[in-house]
Amino acid sequence: MGRIRKYRLEEALMEMCTVCPLDCYDACRIIIDENGALRGDKTHSVTQGYLCPNLNHFDDTKRITQPRFLGEEISMEKALEILEERLSRIEPTQTLFYRGSGNMGLMQRSMDHFFGSMGAVGTRGSLCDGAGEAGVLLGRGVNYPLSPEMVAKADVVIVWGRNLHATHSHLLPFLKGKKIIVIDPVQTALVKNADLYIQIKPHCDLHLALLLSRFCIIEGFQDKEFLEQYGSGYEEFYELTQTVRIKATLDSIDVTLGQIGSLLEMVQGKKTVILVGVGVQKYQNGSDVLRAIDAFGALLGLFGKEGCGVSFLGSSLESLELPFRSIAKTIPKPTVNFSNYSTVFIQGGNPLGQMPNSVKVGEELSKCPFKVYFGLYENETSRACDLILPAQTFLEKEDVRASYGDFTLQKMGKLREATCGISEYALARRLCDKFNLLIPSEEECLELLHRQMEMVDGVEMKRNRPKIPYNDGFKTDSGEFEFIDEIDLGLSSEEGYFLITSKSSKSLNSQFKRMEGIYLHPECGFLSDEDVRVSSKVGECRMRVHHDERLRRDCALIYSGTPDVNVLTPSLMSYEGENAVYQEYKIKVEKI
C-alpha cells in the first residue's frame, strides 16, 4: 500500500509540472511558482531546480500572437479557411511539409500525420546530427543514449567536441570527482578543471581516433575478453589504423605523441565515458568520425558495462510506438529546393536562417507560389511567408517529451490557458476532418505514449529501456560491434580559417538571443569591433570581429543562429546520414 500511495503522489505532482521540449539533452522538469514564473523542479534528479538561460527568459521572448495573410492581420478562422482552400485545389505531391527539430514534444508529429495521410512530400535527414548517428548505427546497429547516472559511475570522462556548459549543463554535477579529458579546438569552460586538454585542429578527430586505437593495441590496452565476444574484427581494424602515418599525421593535426600516451595511461583499466559533440561530424565524412571514436571505445571494452560508454545524441524515438502516420515520400532536408513545390508548409523551423547556403535557399523559397509558416517566433522565414499561423507554447498544451540524452519519457502537463495560437494536434485534427482523413483522438494519442512510460524514483522513464546499453551485445547482423573498414583521410589544403559553428549558451539555433559577428583569436591581426569581409566558396558577408583567446589561431567561430552565417556554408550532404556539413569549407577574413 505504501508503494501505491507513493506512486499516486508522484502522479499528482506530475500533473502540476511540465517538461522543457527544447532541442537539448537535459529535458528539464518545470513548475510554475505562485507568481506565475517558471522554476526548475528541485525534486527532479537531473534538473535539480536549475533552468538554462533560455527557459529563465522564455516569457520575455516576444511571440507571434495574430495570424497574418500577405502582411495583414486576420482571424484564426479566416487563416484556416485560406489554408484549407489552398490545399484543396492542388495535387498533394505539390505540397512540401518541412518540420523543424527545435521542439522534442512527440505531439509535434500530429502534422506529419495529416500531410502523410494526404500524400504530401516531407523531408528526411538532418541539419544537426544525421552523419554521426549514421556512423553509430553502422557500428552498433542501434543508437542508445547514455544516461547521467551511467556517467556518474565512471572514473574518467573524455569530453570530445562537446561544450557541456552550453549544451548539457545539467550533466556537470555528475562529473565531480572524475578525471576529465577535453578534446576540442575551443578552450571551453571545462578546460580549467581538466586533467588533460588536447586543443586539436578542427576536422582532425578521425585521425586522432585512429591513432588512439593504434597505440591502444600497440600498448596492449585493448579489452581482449570483450573483443573476443563482441569485436572479432578488431585485428582487421588495426591493420587499417596502420595506414595512418604517425609523425606526419601528428604534425598535421597538432597533437603530440605525449598527449596520446597520457590519455591512454589515464583510461587504462578505468571505467571511462566518452561524450561526443555534434561539431566533430559537421563534415562530409562525419559518419566515419563517429565510427572511429566508437571503435576506440570498443577496443577499450566500454560498451555494456556500468560507468562506461560512448555517448553521442541517442535516438529519442528508439523503441517507441507513435500514434501518428509517417510521410511516405521524402526528400533530403539539407538540400531541399522549395521552388519545386506549389505550396510549402513550414512548422517550427527557420530554413532561411538555418539551412546551409541561405542565399540559394532564399531564392528558391521566393519562387514558391504559396508559403505557410506555423510557429512561435518571427524570423527570416516567417517574414518571407504568405500565411502566418501562430502556434501555442508548450505551457499551453499537453504533450510527451522523449530525450536523446537519457531514457526519460516524460509527461508535459498543460500549465496555462492559451490566449492565442493553435496547437499542432488541433490544427491536424481540423485539417483531417476537413479532408475526411482519419486521426486518433488527442486522448488516444497521449494514452498510447503514457502506456510506454513508468515511474522510477519520481521520474518517468521508457518501460522497455535497457538497464545497461549494449550489455547483451549489439543490434548488428553479427551481434558484434562492426569496425570501420574504409576511411577517407584527406586533410584540407584550402587556405583560410577553419569555421566552427557551435551553439551558444544564450540561444538555441535561431531562437532567443541570437549571437552576432565573428570570433577570432586576438593575434589574428584584426581589431575588436572591426568590420570585416567574410567569404567562402559559397558566398560572402560582412561581420564585426570579437576577440576570443579560447580559440586556435587558425579558427573562426561563428555561433549557430548568427544572422548570415549560412551565407558561407555549402549545400552539400554527408556521405552517410544525409546531414548538413556546415564546416566542410574554410573561410577567409579580410579587412574592408
Side-chain angles (χ1 to χ4, degrees), residues 444-558:
E444 290 173 324
C445 294
L446 290 169
E447 177 58 28
L448 174 64
L449 296 170
H450 293 169
R451 288 199 301 268
Q452 299 175 71
M453 60 178 68
E454 64 178 352
M455 193 75 69
V456 179
D457 297 329
V459 180
E460 293 145 329
M461 309 288 290
K462 290 181 180 178
R463 283 188 181 277
N464 56 353
R465 67 194 180 281
K467 183 178 180 181
I468 299 176
Y470 311 103
N471 66 332
D472 58 350
F474 299 90
K475 304 299 181 183
T476 57
D477 291 341
S478 65
E480 297 186 17
F481 181 82
E482 296 291 340
F483 287 92
I484 187 171
D485 57 8
E486 188 177 2
I487 49 175
D488 173 14
L489 275 178
L491 282 170
S492 174
S493 58
E494 186 182 3
E495 293 185 359
Y497 294 90
F498 290 100
L499 174 61
I500 300 174
T501 56
S502 305
K503 283 186 178 181
S504 162
S505 61
K506 298 178 181 179
S507 62
L508 190 60
N509 300 322
S510 60
Q511 297 181 73
F512 307 113
K513 185 178 179 180
R514 297 171 69 174
M515 305 298 282
E516 59 86 26
I518 182 171
Y519 291 77
L520 298 166
H521 193 279
E523 295 181 5
C524 286
F526 300 94
L527 300 175
S528 181
D529 291 330
E530 177 181 6
D531 285 344
V532 293
R533 181 183 296 107
V534 186
S535 62
S536 72
K537 294 179 182 178
V538 179
E540 66 176 50
C541 61
R542 183 170 176 156
M543 287 189 172
R544 181 154 295 179
V545 171
H546 304 285
H547 285 167
D548 191 340
E549 293 183 346
R550 303 173 308 147
L551 299 175
R552 291 173 53 96
R553 291 158 183 77
D554 54 3
C555 294
L557 169 61
I558 307 178

Side-chain angles (χ1 to χ4, degrees), residues 122-185:
T123 64
R124 65 178 186 270
S126 172
L127 300 183
C128 179
D129 62 320
E133 178 166 60
V136 169
L137 293 174
L138 286 168
R140 309 184 208 170
V142 64
N143 184 16
Y144 289 132
L146 193 71
S147 68
E149 291 76 16
M150 288 289 284
V151 176
K153 296 175 181 177
D155 301 316
V156 181
V157 178
I158 302 174
V159 184
W160 197 325
R162 188 190 291 189
N163 185 353
L164 296 182
H165 285 78
T167 65
H168 202 174
S169 57
H170 287 85
L171 190 64
L172 292 170
F174 295 87
L175 270 58
K176 290 181 179 178
K178 308 190 183 312
K179 294 288 186 180
I180 304 295
I181 300 169
V182 177
I183 303 171
D184 203 303

